[in-house]
Amino acid sequence: MSGGAATAGLVADPRPRREDPRLLTGQGSYVADVRLPGMLEAAFVRSPLAHARIRAVDTDAARAAPGVIAVLTGADLSDVEPFPDLRERTRPVRQRALCIDRVRYVGAPLAVVVAEDRYLAEDAAELVDADLEELPVVADMDAALAPGAPLLYDDWPDDRIVATAPVDPELDAIFETHQVVRGTYRMQRHTAMPMETRGVVATVERGRLLVWTSTQVPHVVRTVIARTLGLPEHRIRVVAGDVGGGFGSKLHVYPEEVVIPALAWRLRRPVRWIEDRREHFLASSHARHQRHDLEAAVDERGDIVAVRGDLVCDVGSGEILPPGVAPAFVSAGSITGPYRFPRSQARLTCVVTNKTPSGAYRGFGTPEIVFALERLLERVARETGQDPVELRRRHLIRPEDLPYETPNGRRIDSGSHLEAFERAVAWAETTRERLAPTARGSIGVGYANYIEGVSPNYHATSGLWAQQETSTLRIEPDGTVVVASGLGPMGQGTETMLATLASQLLGVPHDQVEVRLGDTDLSPYGLGSFGSRSTVVAAGAVQLAAGRLLDKVRTIAGHLLEASATDIELVDGRARVVGSPDRSVGLAEVAHLAYFRTFDLPPGTEPGLEATGAYEQPGVDHRPNAQGKLNICLTYANSTHACVVDVDRATGVVRLLAHLAVHDAGLLLNPQVVDGQIMGGVAQGIGGALYEQLLHDADGQPLVTSFMDYLVPGAPEVPELTIDHLSTPSTTTPFGLKGAGEAGATGVPAAIANAVCDALRDTGIDITQTPITPSSIRAALRATPDPTTTEGS
Amino acid sequence: MNDLEPVDALDIELRVNGSAVRRRVPVRRLLSDLLRDDLSLTGTHVGCEHGVCGACTVLLDGQPIRSCLQLAVTADGCEVTTVEGITPADGSLSPLQAAFRDAHGLQCGFCTPGFLMTLVAADPAEHPTDGSIDALLSGNLCRCTGYQNIRTAVRRAWGRDDEGNASAGSDTPLGSGTSSGSGAS
Ligand code: FES
Ligand code: FES
C-alpha cells in the first residue's frame, strides 16, 4: 500500500468521548427507547420445567384476553428454520426459535403473546397453558457424565456435546517418572449481567424488515435472521443503537431476535419485546461453569516440566449460537498461561445439562484456567518447598524467549511477562507493609499472571464468521469525513476510537469526522465487537481505507497545486506540498473537484472520494493443525494482578484492601478509556471471585433470578484500583496495538484466592473453588483446625 | 373519594421537569412507564424493575425514588424530575454531568442517569469521605465502570481534588487510584 497513512503512526489521544454528551443527558437511543406508531408489545411464555416433552400448548384463553393480537407457539413457527449448527466437532442441537417438542431449561421459550401493550401481553401470557410431560433432569456436570444419564438429545449417545481425547504417550511417560502435583478447581456459573437487558423491536418498512436489537454483532444477527426466516439479507436492516453493556453475552444471537422479526413480518405491525431482569437470568447466556483437574509434573530441581488437565464445562442446554463450548476450548488452549512449561495437554469435555445455555463472558474461558493454574502453582510451591514468587519468576516467559510458541500453538509475539510480575511483587510488598489488618483479620497478598488473547479468529468458535473487519471512509463534498464500520459497540467508546483512527490516519481534525456504527444499512459487513478486537481490527481496516483515499486526495491536490501527487501530505484537513506548507488546498476544495467540477479532475481519475478497507488478520489459524495446535488470536496481551486482602477469621469475610493491575496493551490510543476497561473488568472479576453465583436446585430450578440474590458488586465492594501500564508494541498488529477489553476480569479470582490463602497460610487452607464466600472460608477453616481460630458461627 | 369500586384508570396531574402533565393513567401503570412511554422521557432507564439497580431513579418532590417501584397514579400532585430535567436548557452539560464525562465516569451510559439523579439530590456535606460517597452510591449498580471513575467524578463535581480523600477516609480502601505509564520497552 502506498501513501502516508501506511507509514504514519498513531499517537495517544486522551480526549473525552463523543458518546458521552448524549448519554449524560438522557438522549441516548437504546433499544427500549424505540417507539413506533401502532407498536405492539410481546411477552414470552417460558418453560417452568427444566426438562419436559411438550404435549400441547393451549393458547385459546390467551387469544381471547383483552388487547391480544396474536399468540404463537413453536408449532406455529415450524416454518422458521432451526438456528444453524455450524461449529465443527460439536454435536448439533438444532435450536428452535420457539421450542417445538422439547424444553431443556427453565426459561426456554414456549410461546409468545403479542398485545396492545406489555401489561396486557403479560396478563395473557399467564393464560397460556402448556401441557408438559416431565422428563428426568440432568442437573449438573456429574449427572451428565454418569453412565446411563438421561439424554437431553435423544439421538446422542450421551450428554457430551464435545469430547476431546488427546493422546501423547511421551507426556504420559513424563508424568509417570516425575513428582506430580494435582488439584481440582471449580468455577461457579455466573455471567455478564449487563445493566441493560436484551430487547428487540421489529417493523416492516417499504417491504423490508427493520430490526433494532441490543447486540454486539449487528451483521451476524442479520445473517441469522435471513437464514432462519428465509429472507434475502438485503431485505433486512439491523440497528443496534446504544447498547447498555454486553461483555460477551450479546455476541450470541438469541431466539427473540428471530421471533420478534417473524411476528412483525407476519402481522405487518411494529412489535417490541424488552427482556425483564428475571427473564435475563433465565434466557440470556450464563458462563464460566467449569471444573479442572490439573496436574503438574515437577523435576528434581523443582521445575515444572509439563502440565495437563482434564477440563469439564457445563454448557447448560447447549441451545445457543455460537455454541457455549467455545470458551472452554480457550480454557484448554490457555493451560500453560504465560509460563514456559515445555509440554502440556488438555482433555476437554463439555456436557449439556438442563440449565440455561452458557456462552461468552469477558475473558472467554481464560479466568477459569487462570484460577486453576495459579492455584496449582501455589500447591506446587508448597509441596516442593519453594517460594511461590520464585517459582513463578523462574517459569515466566522472559524477553529473550520472544517470540514464543506455547505447546498449544499460541504464538506470543511480544510482551513484558516477567517485568509485569516484578512490578507487581514490588508493589505488593510495599502495599502490604502500609496496610493494617482489622481486629480479627489477617492480611494476605496474592498474584495472578496471564495472557489474554486479542482479536480472535472466530471461525473455530462459531463455524461461521472468522476475523475480517471492514471500514468505509468517505470525504463529503464539504470536506467533512464519514467513517462507517460494522463493529458493535457496547459502551467501550468505539465511536470516539473510530473518529480518532480516521482523524489521525487521514490527517483531518477529530471533529470533522462523523462515525456510523451499529447499522447494517450504513456500514459494510462487519463481524462486530468481541474478543478485545475492536481497536485492533478497526485500525487495520481504517488504515487500508485511509491509504486508498489519501492516494486519491493526493492525486487531485497535486493536480490543483501543480505538484507531484507523491509530494502531497494531508495535515489537519489541508493537502499541502511537503516542504512548502504555504502551497496547500483545503479538503473541501479537493472534494469540490471530486464531486462537482469533475471535468477538472486529472485524466483517469474517477469522481467521488470514498474508499473501503477490509482487514484480514495475518497468521491466525481458523482451525487446529494436525497436532492440535491453534494460534487463535492475532496477539496476546499480558497482565499481572496483585491484591491485598484482609480476612476476618471469625466471620470469613474477605475485604479487598488494594488491587493492582499491571497491564501491557501496547499503545494506548485513549488511555482513559483503556483504564476504564480494566477497572470495569476488575469489578466483574471481584463479583465472580466473591459474590456472584447462579444456583439451581436438583430439579434444575434456578434459585437466583434477581439482583436481590445475584450480588453484582456495588461501589463499597470495589476498592480503588492501581493500574500500571507497560507498553510493548505487538509485532503482528496494526501499529502494534493490543486490545484491552477483557483482560481486567481475568486475573481477579486467582489473585484474590491466592491472597486469601496467604492471609490464612498458618491454617493450610487451600481454596479450590469460587465464589470465595464467608461460609466457604469458615468451612475450610473448620476443616483445617487451628487452635488460634475461633470457630465461626 | 368515597367511591370504593375498583377503577382501572385515574386522572392525575403532576409536574414533570417543570411542565404540567395531565393524563388518564391505568392504575397499575408504573411511573417509569409513564415517563418513558407516555411522555417520551427515555433518559430514565429500567434495569431490573425490582428496585435494586437504581437505573430508574428520578426525583419525586426532590427526593430520589425508584420509578420502577412506584405507580404513576401515586405521583398525582407531585413534581417529578428526570435526567432531562437536570440538563441545562441549551443542551450543554451541568457541572455534575461534565465531571462524569471528564472523569470517564460512564461507559455504556445505561446506569448513568440513575447515578446522576441520586447525586443531584445529595448534600456533599453529608458525604465527606470516599467511604460515605460509596455508601451514597451503593443503591446504584454499574456493570461497566467499576465505580472508580464515578467516585472521581463525584469528588470533582463536589470541588474535591482527586487525592483529597485519601487521608480523610479511614474507612477507605487504600491504593493510589492513579495510573502510571511507562515508555515503550
Ligand atoms: S429498574 Fe428500578 S431499581 Fe432497577
Ligand atoms: S456505564 Fe454501563 S452500567 Fe454503568
Side-chain angles (χ1 to χ4, degrees):
Chain A
M1 185 178 68
S2 65
T7 50
L10 288 172
V11 295
D13 182 5
R15 68 179 60 234
R17 306 186 317 164
R18 54 172 61 199
E19 294 87 336
D20 291 349
R22 70 169 185 270
L23 301 179
L24 282 161
T25 56
Q27 303 304 310
S29 157
Y30 302 88
V31 62
D33 303 341
V34 175
R35 193 156 289 91
L36 303 169
M39 186 171 76
L40 304 170
E41 296 210 65
F44 281 82
V45 179
R46 298 184 180 277
S47 173
L49 296 177
H51 199 190
R53 207 175 304 284
I54 303 171
R55 284 208 200 94
V57 181
D58 180 352
T59 59
D60 289 351
R63 275 179 223 275
V68 170
I69 306 294
V71 184
L72 276 82
T73 66
D76 298 323
L77 287 184
S78 57
D79 57 332
V80 172
E81 291 293 320
F83 281 54
D85 285 297
L86 297 163
R87 194 180 187 283
E88 295 170 16
R89 305 177 307 280
T90 307
R91 287 190 177 138
V93 296
R94 290 176 297 273
Q95 182 191 358
R96 287 289 185 167
L98 290 178
C99 301
I100 290 188
D101 41 36
R102 190 84 161 252
V103 284
R104 297 184 178 87
Y105 60 96
V106 172
L110 276 168
V112 61
V113 177
V114 185
E116 295 292 349
D117 71 25
R118 179 166 163 192
Y119 293 76
L120 297 171
E122 289 187 6
D123 287 347
E126 289 185 0
L127 304 176
V128 171
D129 186 13
D131 180 6
L132 302 177
E133 174 194 337
E134 237 176 300
L135 294 172
V137 167
V138 179
D140 58 38
M141 58 175 77
D142 286 324
L145 290 168
L151 296 177
L152 269 72
Y153 298 88
D154 293 337
D155 54 338
W156 295 9
D158 53 39
D159 287 321
R160 292 163 172 82
I161 184 169
V162 149
T164 69
V167 179
D168 186 347
E170 284 179 32
L171 188 92
D172 297 343
I174 291 173
F175 276 88
E176 271 155 34
T177 52
H178 285 76
Q179 179 181 357
V180 177
V181 178
R182 49 176 65 88
T184 298
Y185 304 97
R186 293 181 175 82
M187 191 162 277
Q188 83 282 18
R189 180 171 277 252
H190 59 291
T191 196
M193 207 52 69
M195 282 300 113
E196 181 204 36
T197 58
R198 294 184 299 115
V200 186
V201 180
T203 191
V204 177
E205 196 179 82
R206 290 189 294 158
R208 298 177 72 216
L209 192 53
L210 171 52
V211 181
W212 288 264
T213 181
S214 183
T215 186
Q216 301 169 220
V217 291
H219 283 95
V220 173
V221 171
R222 188 183 78 182
T223 295
V224 174
I225 293 173
R227 289 193 180 195
T228 50
L229 297 189
L231 289 172
E233 290 215 32
H234 68 236
R235 287 183 74 188
I236 306 168
R237 175 181 181 185
V238 174
V239 179
D242 289 311
V243 171
F247 319 111
S249 66
K250 294 176 183 172
L251 75 73
H252 295 284
V253 185
Y254 288 91
E256 298 86 353
E257 288 171 312
V258 169
V259 173
I260 300 300
L263 287 167
W265 193 253
R266 282 176 189 223
L267 301 171
R268 287 293 194 261
R269 287 188 65 179
V271 180
R272 174 169 80 171
W273 165 74
I274 304 301
E275 187 181 55
D276 70 24
R277 185 55 64 180
R278 181 172 182 278
E279 274 185 301
H280 187 83
F281 276 94
L282 301 178
S284 290
S285 59
H286 291 180
R288 302 248 207 277
H289 201 177
Q290 296 198 31
R291 181 181 71 205
H292 299 172
D293 289 306
L294 285 198
E295 296 179 320
V298 187
D299 69 13
E300 59 289 344
R301 292 188 309 275
D303 287 346
I304 296 173
V305 294
V307 291
R308 69 179 175 190
D310 202 342
L311 281 52
V312 184
C313 179
D314 173 350
V315 302
S317 87
E319 296 157 296
I320 193 165
L321 183 150
V325 301
F329 275 92
V330 170
S331 307
S334 310
I335 191 169
T336 53
Y339 298 104
R340 290 173 295 114
F341 304 144
R343 305 193 71 119
S344 74
Q345 181 187 71
R347 175 197 307 270
L348 175 62
T349 309
C350 296
V351 295
V352 290
T353 60
N354 291 116
K355 287 181 289 206
T356 298
S358 75
Y361 176 27
R362 198 178 212 161
F364 205 83
T366 322
E368 297 92 313
I369 190 70
V370 170
F371 172 73
L373 181 62
E374 290 290 334
R375 288 302 301 141
L376 182 72
L377 290 184
E378 294 286 329
R379 197 177 275 190
V380 169
R382 204 177 59 222
E383 292 191 11
T384 59
Q386 304 186 66
D387 171 9
V389 167
E390 194 47 47
L391 178 72
R392 288 186 171 87
R393 192 176 270 146
R394 226 174 47 246
H395 287 85
L396 277 166
I397 297 168
R398 303 158 301 188
E400 62 267 32
D401 300 317
L402 294 167
Y404 176 83
E405 184 176 292
T406 72
N408 291 300
R410 268 49 169 172
R411 290 195 285 278
I412 300 167
D413 61 276
S414 60
S416 51
H417 312 84
L418 190 55
E419 185 184 357
F421 181 56
E422 298 296 1
R423 282 175 177 248
V425 171
W427 173 89
E429 281 168 3
T430 54
T431 305
R432 158 185 237 148
E433 290 304 306
R434 67 185 173 80
L435 294 172
T438 54
R440 292 176 311 212
S442 300
I443 294 233
V445 167
Y447 302 101
N449 290 308
Y450 57 98
I451 52 175
E452 187 77 50
V454 166
S455 207
N457 185 328
Y458 212 57
H459 189 78
T461 297
S462 68
L464 178 61
W465 65 97
Q467 57 176 358
Q468 71 90 7
E469 198 57 52
T470 306
S471 290
T472 297
L473 280 177
R474 184 170 63 247
I475 299 170
E476 300 286 12
D478 62 356
T480 56
V481 175
V482 174
V483 53
S485 153
L487 292 174
M490 47 186 145
Q492 325 93 305
T494 303
E495 218 173 300
T496 305
M497 178 271 286
L498 278 163
T500 298
L501 289 175
S503 147
Q504 292 194 20
L505 296 177
L506 217 45
V508 297
H510 196 276
D511 58 11
Q512 212 165 305
V513 181
E514 173 70 22
V515 179
R516 305 265 159 81
L517 267 172
D519 183 334
T520 59
D521 268 14
L522 298 183
S523 75
Y525 202 103
L527 301 182
S529 293
F530 54 87
S532 305
R533 76 192 291 264
S534 297
T535 303
V536 174
V537 293
V542 172
Q543 182 185 24
L544 288 168
R548 288 173 189 145
L549 195 50
L550 272 177
D551 281 349
K552 194 159 181 185
V553 168
R554 281 205 192 90
T555 302
I556 299 172
H559 182 67
L560 284 170
L561 295 167
E562 295 178 350
S564 159
T566 52
D567 288 340
I568 303 292
E569 60 182 357
L570 189 57
V571 177
D572 219 18
R574 289 194 75 77
R576 61 188 197 190
V577 180
V578 177
S580 33
D582 47 320
R583 287 173 67 201
S584 70
V585 287
L587 208 45
E589 291 164 73
V590 174
H592 191 73
L593 225 65
Y595 290 102
F596 302 136
R597 292 187 63 85
T598 45
F599 44 81
D600 278 341
L601 283 171
T605 304
E606 272 181 48
L609 278 176
E610 179 169 321
T612 293
Y615 176 68
E616 174 77 0
Q617 307 182 152
V620 191
D621 304 330
H622 72 281
R623 64 150 61 107
N625 70 11
Q627 291 81 46
K629 295 185 179 191
L630 177 71
N631 185 42
I632 195 175
C633 287
L634 182 60
T635 189
Y636 301 83
N638 68 279
S639 190
T640 300
H641 280 211
C643 66
V644 184
V645 302
D646 175 90
V647 186
D648 185 316
R649 285 176 177 251
T651 63
V653 169
V654 174
R655 279 199 346 144
L656 188 54
L657 300 179
H659 195 99
L660 169 79
V662 188
H663 190 70
D664 191 337
L667 168 71
L668 308 182
L669 199 53
N670 190 329
Q672 199 178 27
V673 166
V674 174
D675 282 355
Q677 289 298 306
I678 298 171
M679 291 167 180
V682 167
Q684 288 180 318
I686 292 170
L690 299 175
Y691 307 115
E692 299 172 25
Q693 196 164 15
L694 291 163
L695 293 167
H696 294 74
D697 71 10
D699 296 324
Q701 287 292 334
L703 302 175
V704 175
T705 56
S706 81
F707 285 142
M708 262 85 92
D709 311 305
Y710 191 81
L711 305 178
V712 168
E717 283 77 51
V718 185
E720 296 281 291
L721 170 71
T722 304
I723 301 176
D724 184 9
H725 288 294
L726 292 163
S727 184
T728 316
S730 167
T731 62
T732 55
T733 67
F735 309 103
L737 291 163
K738 295 178 181 175
E742 297 172 277
T746 293
V748 181
I752 291 180
N754 286 343
V756 169
C757 293
D758 182 47
L760 304 176
R761 59 193 168 279
D762 54 307
T763 68
I765 187 175
D766 187 357
I767 290 171
T768 57
Q769 63 184 56
T770 54
I772 308 161
T773 60
S775 58
S776 74
I777 289 179
R778 293 198 307 270
L781 287 175
R782 279 194 299 273
T784 53
D786 178 276
T788 63
T789 305
T790 329
E791 193 73 359
S793 54
Chain B
M1 279 212 301
N2 53 13
D3 179 5
L4 294 178
E5 285 298 300
V7 290
D8 287 338
L10 287 174
D11 292 311
I12 60 169
E13 264 187 70
L14 63 161
R15 293 184 73 76
V16 179
N17 298 331
S19 304
V21 172
R22 305 177 59 143
R23 276 282 193 294
R24 185 159 184 84
V25 178
V27 289
R28 64 175 179 167
R29 195 155 182 77
L30 297 174
L31 179 57
S32 51
D33 286 338
L34 174 82
L35 294 170
R36 292 179 43 79
D37 279 350
D38 301 346
L39 306 180
S40 295
L41 294 168
T42 53
T44 300
H45 297 154
V46 174
C48 71
E49 290 180 295
H50 293 145
V52 185
C53 76
C56 65
T57 304
V58 299
L59 304 187
L60 193 71
D61 292 336
Q63 290 303 310
I65 57 115
R66 317 244 144 170
S67 61
C68 75
L69 288 186
Q70 184 122 11
L71 295 175
V73 291
T74 66
D76 187 23
C78 296
E79 169 84 42
V80 176
T81 309
T82 69
V83 68
E84 291 89 347
I86 62 162
T87 301
D90 63 359
S92 63
L93 300 181
S94 70
L96 178 66
Q97 289 165 322
F100 266 69
R101 179 198 56 199
D102 295 340
H104 190 33
L106 69 157
Q107 291 182 25
C108 78
F110 196 80
C111 69
T112 311
F115 276 90
L116 294 173
M117 299 318 292
T118 298
L119 285 161
V120 291
D123 177 0
E126 289 176 15
H127 306 282
T129 63
D130 275 3
S132 56
I133 292 175
D134 283 350
L136 170 67
L137 300 179
S138 64
N140 290 80
L141 295 178
C142 173
R143 195 58 161 168
C144 296
T145 63
Y147 306 99
Q148 184 158 342
N149 286 338
I150 295 179
R151 232 177 258 139
T152 304
V154 175
R155 289 189 204 119
R156 290 187 191 169
W158 288 356
R160 301 171 192 171
D161 67 29
D162 291 353
E163 313 295 324
N165 284 309
S167 57
S170 58
D171 55 342
T172 302
L174 298 172
S176 75
T178 55
S179 168
S180 65
S182 72
S185 52

